[in-house]
Amino acid sequence: MSVDERTAVLAVLNSERFVDCAPRTVYATLLDEQQYLCSWRTMYRILADADQVRERRNQVRRTGYTRPELLATAPNQLWSWDITKLRGPAKWTYYYLPLC
């Protein structure tokens, strides 16, 4: 392919319409519209030459989670609970100890 053709294919792949689609999806969509630019494998090659072979969809970026810190400054402001599993006298026997 010529440089102009490769630039045109890259422009289509990076257009707002196809920016988050895989090259096979772009290829199939364009074929449905009676357009043929190149094969889907050639689209991958063009993206690889432009260092754009990666997950094309937007990824969720999670910020660091900070564990909440509870602070009681007076009585009855903070309540907590727990259920502890205690081993019983026989095998497979357990007792649950709820604490408030």
Side-chain angles (χ1 to χ4, degrees):
M1 293 182 76
S2 69
V3 175
D4 294 336
E5 291 172 334
R6 295 173 73 87
T7 306
V9 171
L10 193 59
V12 169
L13 289 170
N14 290 334
S15 67
E16 187 174 331
R17 180 178 174 199
F18 296 121
V19 73
D20 60 347
C21 297
R24 282 192 182 201
T25 307
V26 175
Y27 174 77
T29 305
L30 290 176
L31 280 183
D32 288 343
E33 297 171 356
Q34 305 296 322
Q35 287 184 318
Y36 179 80
L37 297 176
C38 59
S39 69
W40 60 268
R41 183 64 188 118
T42 304
M43 290 181 185
Y44 272 111
R45 288 186 190 108
I46 292 170
L47 286 173
D49 290 342
D51 290 329
Q52 295 182 15
V53 178
R54 57 175 168 68
E55 180 65 46
R56 294 173 60 85
R57 295 174 293 176
N58 288 334
Q59 300 294 311
V60 175
R61 300 218 179 0
R62 304 206 189 280
T63 59
Y65 175 75
T66 57
R67 184 170 46 181
E69 182 179 329
L70 305 173
L71 178 65
T73 57
N76 289 328
Q77 284 186 344
L78 178 64
W79 288 79
S80 181
W81 62 275
D82 182 35
I83 297 177
T84 304
K85 187 176 184 181
L86 301 173
R87 200 177 321 173
K91 188 175 184 179
W92 304 111
T93 304
Y94 296 99
Y95 298 106
Y96 295 96
L97 176 64
L99 300 172
C100 293

